[in-house]
Amino acid sequence: MRFMGMRLLLVSGIFPPDRGGPASYVPRVATELVARGMQVEVVCLSDPGPHDDSAYPFPVHRIPRQTFWPWRVLLTLAALFQRARRSDLIYVSGLGAESALAAAFAGRPAVYKVVGDYAWERAVGRGWFQGTIEDYQSQCRTGRFRWINLIRTWPLSRAARLIVPSRYLARLVASWGIPESRIEVIYNAASNGRGKPSIADPWPEWTGRTLITVCRLVPWKGVSGLIEVLGTLPTTRLVIAGDGGMRAALTEQARRLGVAERVLFLGDVPGECVASCMSRADAFVLNSSYEGLPHVVLEAMEAGVPVIATDAGGTGELVEHGVTGLLIPVGRPEMLKAAIESLWRDPGLVERLVAGASQRVAENFAARQMLDQTERALRGVLEKPKRAPVTGIFETEP
């Protein structure tokens, strides 16, 4: 195969022991690409160490995340430029603006993986905007929003190719003015493993049913709505795996509603323990108002847990209502309650959903399929003559 020894610089804003999709995706993909003959080097932001990266078959260069912002940007640019010069291609999963500048200075092509809208998340996080991601696209184009939109879109406009994990995100990215011919949908893959045992401390005894959700505690994950619904389900408890800025407010909400004894906050659970936690619950629920393609739903399906999820973003490309899970509209607590109750009273439905999800994961979200497509996309950027534009990406079925 041509370019067997291709030199790849992989850039990420998070990396283990950080939690989150990119933190698990980057080392997994990098390890596989090394096994397939590429030379891979990773640059990432990181909290203070020490970090033992000796188990990885590629070098990892960590930039301290807490460094004063202007100085951190300069350090990042210097690290990226130095390594980009000795690479054939840059694969960007974070630090988009810095990577674009380094690629331009070094004269190297870049491929970006886009898993969400940086501008919308930043606007919501800073309290500038309270609406949905769809509302943001039409309402926030002037003033201070123009600058964060530019930071989001300018690096993507310079990319040789963009990889997105759902058709929903493909449409969203195209709406920013990125040509469809440069956008390719490559679905995320299941982990193909049950993971390690969960946290050592046992959960309190409970004679009823247990729901689990796994997410960052941010507004669009809908955990507050879950706690509200819990008040109408007296024999159900909710286990929350994840942490974030809303934890104190959610704890207070549970106390105020009188359900604190039925809400168990696990905090930040290691990624390798998530599947084991899920398998101890009776159902997994994701009450989000925005998702690109929720990898945590794949994990729940793989763990053999029935899934209830809101039809947000690309979630409907994973969850087919009544086949691989129960899909409900966003912002309909009465339908969320009805979906939970339907699982509790119908064991046959649970069995059918678990079987359907297992089959869907095996057929459409296998790790080898994702890795093959990613490798082709990366190598294709360097092929001469260039490949013909990809067409029909929005019609691709999972």
Side-chain angles (χ1 to χ4, degrees):
M1 180 183 293
R2 296 179 64 194
F3 306 110
M4 176 59 74
M6 185 175 81
R7 298 167 299 176
L8 181 70
L9 174 61
L10 213 165
V11 186
S12 180
I14 60 176
F15 192 84
D18 295 329
R19 313 283 186 239
S24 58
Y25 173 87
V26 170
R28 181 182 185 186
V29 169
T31 298
E32 179 62 26
L33 293 178
V34 168
R36 295 180 178 208
M38 291 189 189
Q39 300 175 42
V40 178
E41 191 167 5
V42 170
V43 172
C44 62
L45 296 185
S46 182
D47 291 331
H51 301 287
D52 183 6
D53 296 320
S54 60
Y56 297 118
F58 48 83
V60 179
H61 180 74
R62 296 177 181 266
I63 298 169
R65 184 177 284 119
Q66 287 79 10
T67 304
F68 180 53
W69 179 77
W71 181 237
R72 190 189 75 192
V73 170
L74 292 176
L75 286 175
T76 302
L77 281 171
L80 292 175
F81 175 66
Q82 177 186 0
R83 288 158 180 82
R85 291 175 59 193
R86 59 180 185 242
S87 302
D88 300 308
L89 179 66
I90 305 174
Y91 186 23
V92 184
S93 185
L95 303 175
E98 296 93 325
S99 297
L101 289 171
F105 293 152
R108 298 295 188 270
V111 174
Y112 277 64
K113 179 162 185 179
V114 183
V115 297
D117 184 351
Y118 162 88
W120 173 74
E121 290 194 17
R122 180 59 60 91
V124 171
R126 292 186 174 183
W128 296 349
F129 186 73
Q130 302 299 323
T132 68
I133 189 171
E134 288 80 11
D135 294 337
Y136 181 88
Q137 309 308 312
S138 59
Q139 297 176 15
C140 301
R141 298 185 177 182
T142 60
R144 57 189 172 186
F145 299 113
R146 179 179 297 172
W147 293 107
I148 58 174
N149 292 345
L150 179 65
I151 294 171
R152 171 199 67 196
T153 307
W154 175 75
L156 306 183
S157 70
R158 299 184 58 86
R161 197 154 197 78
L162 286 85
I163 293 173
V164 295
S166 68
R167 299 193 306 277
Y168 167 80
L169 277 173
R171 291 189 292 269
L172 188 70
V173 172
S175 75
W176 302 338
I178 306 299
E180 293 180 11
S181 60
R182 284 197 269 143
I183 306 170
E184 183 168 355
V185 177
I186 300 178
Y187 285 103
N188 291 333
S191 61
N192 294 328
R194 295 284 177 146
K196 296 181 180 179
S198 60
I199 54 177
D201 293 338
W203 297 357
E205 291 293 330
W206 180 250
T207 57
R209 304 282 189 157
T210 297
L211 284 174
I212 189 169
T213 191
V214 181
C215 62
R216 287 185 293 155
L217 302 186
V218 291
W220 57 87
K221 293 297 183 180
V223 179
S224 177
L226 275 177
I227 293 174
E228 289 279 352
V229 169
L230 194 68
T232 67
L233 299 167
T235 62
T236 299
R237 71 171 170 181
L238 174 64
V239 174
I240 302 169
D243 215 336
M246 290 188 67
R247 178 163 178 172
L250 294 170
T251 301
E252 171 58 23
Q253 179 191 16
R255 186 202 62 78
R256 176 170 45 83
L257 294 176
V259 298
E261 73 282 359
R262 293 192 285 121
V263 179
L264 177 60
F265 289 91
L266 297 185
D268 192 14
V269 175
E272 65 271 17
C273 299
V274 167
S276 178
C277 284
M278 288 179 174
S279 66
R280 298 170 63 182
D282 297 294
F284 169 83
V285 61
L286 185 65
N287 191 40
S288 180
S289 60
Y290 159 70
E291 293 292 338
L293 189 87
H295 190 268
V296 69
V297 170
L298 278 176
E299 292 182 292
M301 290 177 169
E302 190 179 31
V305 183
V307 170
I308 301 171
T310 44
D311 191 6
T315 305
E317 297 173 46
L318 281 174
V319 182
E320 181 181 354
H321 184 69
V323 178
T324 63
L326 298 180
L327 193 66
I328 60 174
V330 174
R332 296 290 300 275
E334 75 283 2
M335 296 187 70
L336 175 58
K337 177 186 177 184
I340 295 169
E341 290 177 329
S342 69
L343 292 183
W344 292 174
R345 67 173 176 261
D346 190 349
L349 175 61
V350 171
E351 292 179 5
R352 292 193 299 274
L353 295 180
V354 169
S358 178
Q359 181 177 353
R360 182 67 56 87
V361 168
E363 292 177 352
N364 300 106
F365 298 95
R368 183 178 183 85
Q369 177 178 317
M370 180 270 286
L371 292 163
D372 287 347
Q373 292 172 341
T374 301
E375 181 184 12
R376 283 197 299 268
L378 295 175
R379 293 190 184 278
V381 170
L382 298 181
E383 290 179 356
K384 304 294 183 181
K386 292 183 179 179
R387 299 183 301 173
V390 173
T391 59
I393 59 173
F394 301 116
E395 289 75 35
T396 304
E397 291 296 333

